[in-house]
Amino acid sequence: MAHGQLRIYLGAAPGVGKTYTMLEEAHRRAERGTDLVVGLVETHGREHTAAMIGALEVVARREVTYRGATFTELDLDALLARRPEVAVVDELAHTNVPGGRNAKRWQDVQELLNAGITVLTTVNVQHIESMNDVVARITGVEQRETVPDAVVRAAEQVELVDMTPEALRRRMAHGNIYRPEKIDAALGNYFRTGNLTALRELALLWLADKVGDQLDAYRADHRIDATWETRERVVVALTGGPEGDTLIRRAVRIAVRTRGADLLAVHVTRGDGPTGADPAALARQRVLVERLGGTFHQVMGGDVPGALLEFARGANATQIVLGASSRGRFAQLFSAGVGVTTAARSGGIDVHLVTHERVRRGRGARREPAALSRRRRIAGFLTALVGFPLLTWLLHVVPQPSLTNDILLYLAAVVGVALIGGLWPALLAAGIGSLMLNWFFTPPVGRFTISSADNLLSLIVFVIVAIAVSWVVDTAARTTRQAARAGADAQTLATVAGSVLRGARPLTALLERLRETFRLDTVTLLERDGLRWTVVASVGGAICPTPSDADAEVNADDRLTLVMRGPALAASDRRIVEAFAAQAALAVRQERLAAEAAAAKPLAEADKMRTALLAAVSHDLRTPLAGAKAAVAGLAAEDVHLDDEDRAELLATADESLDKLDRLVANLLDMSRLQAGALGVHAVDVGAEEVVPRALDDLGVTVPLHLPPDLPAVHADPGLLERILVNLVANAVRHSPPGRPPVVTASTLAGRVEIRVIDHGPGIPADRWEDVFLPFQRLGDRDNHTGVGLGLALSRGLTEAMGGTLTPEETPGGGLTMIVALPAGAHHTEVPE
């Protein structure tokens, strides 16, 4: 039986049109004569969706009773009995009512597919299992209904049903998604523009990833090794040499010429042993690559050009950047080099050979440390000098029947010397052995001549085999020692990385780990400022104030130097210390950036508060002063006759204006003390139902107020919050059209309470939203005769002082919504949706 095909309509959020698009496809298939039935479609009361079902055949749902309530679910058995070619089953992530055969609807769909029925279905990106936690962090809503990624990725077709956030919010405002009583709450919570934009990006990225998997699978199935330039990808090959920085920056310049290009840096480690790459240089280059927006990779392969090209083709790279060879012409006669070989075998991948300062200079033959210790080498020489005369004497005492046996015994002796002392003692032994064989055992005996061609060949083979065996033994010992050293270095660096990541102060942890690893007395990081040295950090004993006071020093960068006091470092240990130094320089930069950010934050907040205070003094004091002055001038006028009613009205006006002035000055003084650190914010848990009515009473206006009964308390200063709301509501009233007063609503999101002041006035362009928080800014620069409370700039400053935010948002249908978001009270409990 053929397996059915799965087609999924993927959306970023409810209401984008997944079900509608799926039903359009169902009608197209039915019109082509396909046997299609609707197993289940969730219309959610949307008239257009319900009408779209039309004349399609619908399988009746089955009724399920659970805890005294009746629900309807997909009738899987009826659908299997009907056995259509195609079935329409909406909402793949749905959880079935307990009592059915399967707990999840996607399991019902699996049964249909196994029965050979093709299924059309829908799912939102927030219901994909791997996206669940990401969506929860963005929206503050955890989705309980999820679908395993494997189910969605196994679909033969996934079609994205896309819609811009603005269009989706307009659709919501027009009542095309939710019922009218849920629209305001949805727009203020899940359907905020930022949420929808993030969800849309997640859906696009997930689908792009699946498309990439499909492309990779297609290329693998059809054995396509050629690069398909679907996206520009630049691979830069690094050796750990000083030319790496030049290569990386050149690769970045190539990548930025194409928007969206990827940069991948790769270092190939030879599979037959350590490469000798400088770990400190590689660490610095890795940091540089990641800082420039690329990724760093390390692969292993005995054939460096082959491993590099295999990585590039696997990444579907379009260009490779390598350094030009610094080997001499004589060396290039025997091997073309990695760059030339890679270019010759690259096929459709462009290869850039970049010149650098070290080209034609040669790397300089770095002397390899001896494979064996000095004591073993001396023992090997002594064994060769003493052992071969002793072996010759023994062979004379116990005569051997043939020269062949003598050669084999001498060869065994050479191998023994190689095992003891390595290459050079073994070469000496081979030379001594060949001379003694010629003098004592090869006819004519006692002369350095050979009468038989067979004996000459035997001696030549002896010398060749002895040299080859000596070289193999020495190489094996050298490789073993290098591998052990590399393993120890890797363990050290891994331990360093772990201690740095776990430590609260990474620089101190790094220096302490260096001191412990090499048993040093003191490790100090110095910074040079002209001719002076400054101690950045130090661990261990007495501080080394200058490099001249230390036993060893390693440059971390142009200004930082790592100095050490204690046992002398081996040459091989110095490379690991250089890696420590590079990480220390990085840790210093991170700590200083963090300190600068921490220092700048209070200065920025103080600047905001100062700006807001100036705005209030210059703007908000004018209105009550003018009112009081006019009232007093009227009372003092001698040429104006006032009756008792007029006099009382003027006195009331003066009294009201002076009260406003008194409250305003008190608030300004309190905030001045707050800015100076002399007055703290008295934040308590207070109900919005207490503060909002007081703010409306202070204004003397009546506006619609929608506060949920289960709204948690707000953790804020009641007086400051009231002042903020007075300003926002007054501003909204001033800009609202006649007959459409502003609305005040409240909701919760991710442990915060959001109070929204919504008006339906002319609104403000999005690119000018931040301008309204600057001093003296009003919509359209009109109406300069009325105040705006303490000013929007001061309102934002007060909100942020209480740990909250004040942000504008477009009102669906026109207007501006100001959102005050503050922490919920200590006893706040999230209500599951």
Side-chain angles (χ1 to χ4, degrees):
M1 180 184 298
H3 192 272
Q5 294 191 348
L6 179 62
R7 180 166 184 169
I8 297 176
Y9 293 86
L10 175 67
V16 295
K18 303 181 300 298
T19 303
Y20 195 91
T21 305
M22 177 180 65
L23 289 173
E24 287 181 332
E25 174 63 19
H27 278 286
R28 282 192 292 270
R29 296 198 181 200
E31 290 170 359
R32 292 197 299 263
T34 303
D35 182 15
L36 180 145
V37 299
V38 175
L40 185 144
V41 169
E42 298 286 1
T43 63
H44 298 289
R46 300 166 190 164
E47 297 179 0
H48 297 294
T49 304
M52 193 62 190
I53 298 176
L56 294 175
E57 180 184 347
V58 179
V59 174
R61 303 187 186 191
R62 67 182 180 92
E63 293 188 351
V64 181
T65 302
Y66 180 69
R67 292 184 178 179
T70 301
F71 304 89
T72 60
E73 289 286 2
L74 172 70
D75 194 336
L76 180 59
D77 292 331
L79 201 54
L80 289 171
R82 169 64 177 77
R83 202 173 185 77
E85 294 180 49
V86 180
V88 176
V89 181
D90 204 5
E91 295 190 357
L92 183 64
H94 173 75
T95 300
N96 294 330
V97 176
R101 185 159 67 243
N102 298 314
K104 298 287 187 177
R105 186 167 291 165
W106 63 263
Q107 295 171 323
D108 295 337
V109 169
Q110 290 288 342
E111 287 198 35
L112 295 174
L113 295 174
N114 293 335
I117 301 173
T118 295
V119 177
L120 307 182
T121 187
T122 64
V123 71
N124 283 325
V125 70
Q126 65 265 29
H127 295 297
I128 298 176
E129 182 66 41
S130 64
M131 296 291 181
N132 186 258
D133 57 337
V134 179
V135 174
R137 286 194 295 269
I138 294 172
T139 64
V141 179
E142 183 176 357
Q143 302 291 338
R144 293 186 177 88
E145 296 183 329
T146 59
V147 182
D149 284 56
V151 174
V152 186
R153 287 188 178 277
E156 282 73 17
Q157 297 182 62
V158 178
E159 179 177 333
L160 179 65
V161 182
D162 190 29
M163 179 175 288
T164 65
E166 294 77 14
L168 185 57
R169 283 172 59 84
R170 284 196 298 271
R171 179 179 286 186
M172 172 70 74
H174 293 157
N176 294 329
I177 301 177
Y178 290 164
R179 292 191 299 273
E181 62 271 18
K182 292 186 176 182
I183 292 177
D184 287 339
L187 289 173
N189 290 276
Y190 196 88
F191 282 79
R192 293 184 297 180
T193 303
N195 288 357
L196 297 177
T197 302
L199 292 173
R200 187 186 187 201
E201 182 178 13
L202 286 177
L204 291 168
L205 290 174
W206 190 95
L207 187 61
D209 186 46
K210 177 172 173 58
V211 171
D213 292 342
Q214 291 175 334
L215 178 60
D216 292 341
Y218 178 86
R219 296 177 67 214
D221 292 342
H222 293 77
R223 298 180 180 179
I224 300 174
D225 294 328
T227 299
W228 285 10
E229 300 180 7
T230 55
R231 179 189 296 181
E232 200 75 24
R233 291 181 175 90
V234 181
V235 171
V236 53
L238 302 177
T239 64
E243 73 280 0
D245 292 1
T246 302
L247 300 181
I248 293 169
R249 290 188 171 90
R250 179 58 183 272
V252 169
R253 289 196 297 271
I254 295 173
V256 297
R257 293 171 187 166
T258 305
R259 184 176 178 84
D262 295 334
L263 173 66
L264 301 91
V266 59
H267 171 67
V268 179
T269 302
R270 294 184 64 91
D272 55 358
T275 61
D278 186 351
L282 279 177
R284 288 192 297 268
Q285 289 162 12
R286 178 172 192 157
V287 172
L288 177 60
V289 168
E290 293 173 350
R291 191 169 69 238
L292 295 174
T295 57
F296 182 87
H297 307 268
Q298 190 160 337
V299 298
M300 182 175 290
D303 177 19
V304 175
L308 179 60
L309 287 171
E310 183 178 0
F311 172 82
R313 292 191 177 106
N316 202 21
T318 56
Q319 302 185 62
I320 298 177
V321 177
L322 302 99
S325 176
S326 57
R327 299 158 65 247
R329 291 185 178 180
F330 182 76
Q332 292 182 21
L333 292 176
F334 298 95
S335 175
V338 174
V340 175
T341 305
T342 302
R345 295 159 54 183
S346 63
I349 304 177
D350 297 336
V351 177
H352 304 265
L353 293 178
V354 179
T355 58
H356 48 86
E357 293 182 358
R358 299 194 67 189
V359 173
R360 300 300 183 191
R361 292 185 185 178
R363 293 183 180 270
R366 185 172 54 196
R367 186 175 181 179
E368 292 288 342
L372 300 175
S373 65
R374 180 182 180 86
R375 181 177 299 178
R376 287 189 59 176
R377 295 198 303 274
I378 293 175
F381 282 117
L382 291 176
T383 302
L385 294 174
V386 176
F388 276 83
L390 181 60
L391 177 60
T392 303
W393 176 78
L394 288 174
L395 291 177
H396 274 89
V397 173
V398 184
Q400 297 298 314
S402 68
L403 178 62
T404 303
N405 292 335
D406 296 335
I407 290 175
L408 289 176
L409 289 172
Y410 272 86
L411 183 60
V414 172
V415 173
V417 172
L419 292 173
I420 294 172
L423 177 62
W424 293 108
L427 292 178
L428 176 63
I432 294 174
S434 63
L435 292 175
M436 287 187 171
L437 281 170
N438 190 355
W439 183 269
F440 291 105
F441 301 103
T442 304
V445 176
R447 297 174 59 186
F448 288 111
T449 59
I450 301 173
S451 59
S452 173
D454 292 340
N455 293 337
L456 176 62
L457 179 61
S458 298
L459 285 176
I460 292 174
V461 170
F462 165 76
V463 173
I464 294 174
V465 172
I467 294 174
V469 171
S470 303
W471 179 81
V472 169
V473 171
D474 184 80
T475 301
R478 188 185 304 277
T479 303
T480 301
R481 185 170 184 175
Q482 289 177 340
R485 180 70 190 181
D489 293 347
Q491 182 63 35
T492 299
L493 293 175
T495 305
V496 169
S499 65
V500 170
L501 291 174
R502 291 189 296 270
R505 298 188 62 190
L507 179 58
T508 303
L510 188 70
L511 298 183
E512 185 62 36
R513 180 60 60 182
L514 174 61
R515 189 182 69 83
E516 294 175 358
T517 301
F518 295 102
R519 301 178 182 178
L520 299 169
D521 298 329
T522 303
V523 178
T524 304
L525 185 64
L526 301 176
E527 184 173 20
R528 182 176 56 207
D529 184 9
L531 299 177
R532 295 180 53 227
W533 290 97
T534 304
V535 176
V536 178
S538 182
V539 296
I543 296 175
C544 296
T546 63
S548 59
D549 298 321
D551 298 322
E553 64 176 282
V554 173
N555 292 329
D557 59 19
D558 295 338
R559 297 173 58 88
L560 296 171
T561 299
L562 193 64
V563 297
M564 294 148 285
R565 183 181 293 157
L569 294 173
S572 56
D573 292 337
R574 189 174 182 85
R575 297 170 58 193
I576 302 300
V577 176
E578 290 176 351
F580 273 91
Q583 294 298 323
L586 180 61
V588 169
R589 287 194 292 270
Q590 290 176 339
E591 287 190 0
R592 288 179 175 175
L593 288 173
E596 291 175 1
K601 185 175 180 180
L603 292 176
E605 293 177 353
D607 184 65
K608 287 182 179 179
M609 188 66 71
R610 186 180 301 110
T611 303
L613 288 172
L614 289 174
V617 169
S618 63
H619 179 262
D620 288 353
L621 291 178
R622 184 173 55 201
T623 300
L625 279 175
K629 182 177 180 180
V632 172
L635 290 171
E638 297 180 355
D639 56 341
V640 178
H641 176 70
L642 300 174
D643 55 23
D644 293 341
E645 183 178 353
D646 292 336
R647 189 178 299 275
E649 183 178 353
L650 289 174
L651 288 172
T653 300
D655 182 64
E656 180 181 359
S657 298
L658 292 174
D659 285 342
K660 289 182 179 179
L661 183 61
D662 178 67
R663 290 195 301 268
L664 183 58
V665 171
N667 284 336
L668 290 173
L669 291 175
D670 285 344
M671 282 181 292
S672 297
R673 298 188 188 99
L674 176 64
Q675 183 184 7
L679 177 68
V681 176
H682 302 293
V684 297
D685 290 351
V686 59
E689 68 276 6
E690 301 175 20
V691 179
V692 177
R694 285 205 302 265
L696 299 180
D697 292 342
D698 192 17
L699 284 173
V701 298
T702 301
V703 299
L705 182 62
H706 302 298
L707 301 179
D710 57 349
L711 187 71
V714 185
H715 191 69
D717 187 309
L720 297 182
L721 179 56
E722 180 182 345
R723 195 68 229 166
I724 293 168
L725 293 175
V726 165
N727 174 43
L728 297 180
V729 174
N731 197 49
V733 168
R734 181 163 49 255
H735 295 292
S736 294
R740 298 197 68 183
V743 179
V744 179
T745 66
S747 60
T748 60
L749 177 66
R752 299 174 79 84
V753 176
E754 292 187 345
I755 302 175
R756 295 169 174 266
V757 180
I758 306 169
D759 72 61
H760 298 278
I764 301 176
D767 58 354
R768 290 201 57 198
W769 280 351
E770 289 302 314
D771 293 345
V772 301
F773 296 105
L774 298 175
F776 310 110
Q777 293 296 316
R778 299 175 183 82
L779 178 63
D781 291 328
R782 296 181 285 105
D783 190 16
N784 289 334
H785 302 289
T786 58
V788 286
L790 292 177
L792 289 177
L794 185 57
S795 296
R796 172 175 275 189
L798 292 175
T799 306
E800 293 176 352
M802 294 187 290
T805 59
L806 175 60
T807 56
E809 184 178 88
E810 182 183 0
T811 302
L816 186 69
T817 298
M818 301 299 293
I819 307 169
V820 180
L822 292 165
H827 302 292
H828 167 56
T829 302
E830 291 283 355
V831 179
E833 299 190 9

